[in-house]
Amino acid sequence: MSTSATKTRSGAVTRRAVAAAVIGNALEWFDIAVYALMAGYIGKMFFPGHNPGIQLVEAYAVFGITFLIRPLGALVLGSYADRRGRRRALVVTIRLMVAGTFLLAILPGYDTIGVFAPIGVIVARLLQGFAAGGEFGAATSFLIEHDDRRKGFLGSFQFASQGLATLLSSAFAAGLTALLPAAEMTSWGWRVPFVFGLLVGPVGYYLRRHVDEAPRPKEDRPESAVREVFRRNWGGLLIAGGALVVSTSLNFILQSLPAFAIKNLGLNASASFAALLITSVLLTLVPPVAGLMSDRYGRIRMMAVAATVIGISVVPLYVWVTSARSFAVLAVAMAVLGLLKAVYFGPLPAVMADAFPARTRATGLAFSYNTAVGVFGGFTPAIATALVTTTGSPVSPGYYLVATAAVSLAALFAAHRTRGIR
């Protein structure tokens, strides 16, 4: 076979791998993002009481509690990916996610089945959390192992697909809240995005079933990836998890800002979700560009600059949003934060992957990612809401993001000094 033909085949294989990872990953994160955006309606439907603020906190608490199972999913499914192959693990994760989505789409409300309604929501979110626990490690390893020279670019599609998920979910939220009265949104409108997820699920499953496995020697598959990670890779876990902290915190702040603007600033629901829609376009399109640039100019340098600017700008942006109370200001502030996040997390998967050896990469990635997301991401909407409630200051979530930016900068410094990552 000629060199040009070999390159063409290699490029086709890589494109199929990216498609399989992106479509399946976007579907899984779409379902997670939809829950965050529809939390207000879900709280009214599934949790008893008449205080919308308390119902919203309860819905966000379930959103956070289910992140606690993600480290378990990371260990089980990440180890499976290291031992049996990345593709097989990705097929399992999409099956589990679709099952959780199906339950949320059909579950009756509290007025119909009583206490079984919130229990059902918790079960559905546990299924989704367990699946998401294994998704990041398997998908990221699957992507970057197709071409070691373009790790930044290929790995960036992991987060670009999450941006696509946020784009789709915010489009549904903006469109539905514009078309439907609040009563119909609470009654059935919030279920529409979950039904959409069910329709797309078979496409992602088919692609993952029929894509080629990432090239990897069979002898490089450990008997116990979990044991190896905890015995030999504690430094990698701390570096990878720490580098993720500011990205995951900012991600859930951006997803919860529309609900924050509706409840605390009196902005229109549809307009608030439209602001997230604009931000989501940046989160989808910019990461591959940032990843491509990082392969040429260095990942740590780009990420350190982005994290520093996030830490400096977030409080002034919060002050601006809460004082102006307008859609235009909210949209600009969210776009600025979204652009900074996109530049930061485009190279991030490759940096996290380089913290681990290939034989335990999926397990290390999955556990570090999901532990950091569980602690600093899943509870971020609840923390932000609680900070505003207890302090009376709508700016208080900004100071939380300043602290997370400092943690990630420390992790990037450690990655450069101890792992030689550039």
Side-chain angles (χ1 to χ4, degrees), residues 265-283:
L265 306 181
L267 296 186
N268 176 268
S270 180
S272 298
F273 288 128
L276 182 58
L277 183 64
I278 295 169
T279 306
S280 301
V281 173
L282 296 173
L283 294 175

Side-chain angles (χ1 to χ4, degrees), residues 125-196:
R125 292 290 299 141
L126 287 173
L127 281 172
Q128 292 180 325
F130 188 84
E135 175 70 19
F136 181 84
T140 301
S141 300
F142 181 76
L143 284 166
I144 69 169
E145 287 169 1
H146 274 83
D147 191 342
D148 189 64
R149 298 167 301 173
R150 298 191 296 164
K151 289 191 293 186
F153 176 63
L154 293 176
S156 69
F157 283 98
Q158 163 66 244
F159 284 137
S161 64
Q162 293 186 25
L164 177 60
T166 306
L167 174 62
L168 290 173
S169 58
S170 57
F172 268 103
L176 288 169
T177 52
L179 294 172
L180 298 177
E184 292 189 21
M185 277 297 301
T186 302
S187 176
W188 61 269
W190 65 269
R191 297 183 191 268
V192 173
F194 292 103
V195 174
F196 170 80

Side-chain angles (χ1 to χ4, degrees), residues 161-410:
S161 64
Q162 293 186 25
L164 177 60
T166 306
L167 174 62
L168 290 173
S169 58
S170 57
F172 268 103
L176 288 169
T177 52
L179 294 172
L180 298 177
E184 292 189 21
M185 277 297 301
T186 302
S187 176
W188 61 269
W190 65 269
R191 297 183 191 268
V192 173
F194 292 103
V195 174
F196 170 80
L198 288 176
L199 297 176
V200 175
V203 177
Y205 175 76
Y206 176 85
L207 287 172
R208 291 187 171 188
R209 284 275 297 177
H210 294 88
V211 74
D212 291 337
E213 178 63 274
R216 184 162 157 257
K218 288 186 177 181
E219 61 268 19
D220 201 31
R221 298 188 180 187
E223 291 185 9
S224 176
V226 175
R227 184 165 57 243
E228 283 195 29
V229 164
F230 286 111
R231 282 183 176 179
R232 304 176 184 176
N233 295 125
W234 274 106
L237 291 172
L238 293 174
I239 287 171
L244 181 69
V245 165
V246 68
S247 178
T248 192
S249 299
L250 182 52
N251 184 60
F252 290 104
I253 285 289
L254 288 171
Q255 289 187 3
S256 62
L257 267 174
F260 169 85
I262 295 167
K263 183 175 183 295
N264 295 285
L265 306 181
L267 296 186
N268 176 268
S270 180
S272 298
F273 288 128
L276 182 58
L277 183 64
I278 295 169
T279 306
S280 301
V281 173
L282 296 173
L283 294 175
T284 304
L285 300 180
V286 174
V289 178
L292 185 64
M293 292 176 62
S294 74
D295 285 330
R296 179 175 300 182
Y297 300 111
R299 300 176 189 109
I300 297 296
R301 183 183 296 113
M302 286 181 58
M303 293 171 65
V305 171
T308 301
V309 178
I310 289 171
I312 293 172
S313 64
V314 65
V315 172
L317 286 172
Y318 254 97
V319 171
W320 189 34
V321 167
T322 54
S323 59
R325 296 174 179 262
S326 74
F327 164 74
V329 171
L330 177 67
V332 170
M334 289 181 65
V336 169
L337 290 174
L339 179 61
L340 291 170
K341 174 179 168 58
V343 171
Y344 183 88
F345 81 174
L348 178 58
V351 168
M352 295 176 68
D354 282 342
F356 303 99
R359 60 187 283 111
T360 58
R361 179 174 288 145
T363 305
L365 277 171
F367 186 76
S368 60
Y369 176 84
N370 287 287
T371 301
V373 169
V375 175
F376 294 95
F379 285 99
T380 289
I383 291 172
T385 303
L387 283 172
V388 173
T389 302
T390 56
T391 66
S393 171
V395 179
S396 54
Y399 295 104
Y400 172 70
L401 284 177
V402 172
T404 63
V407 171
S408 289
L409 283 169

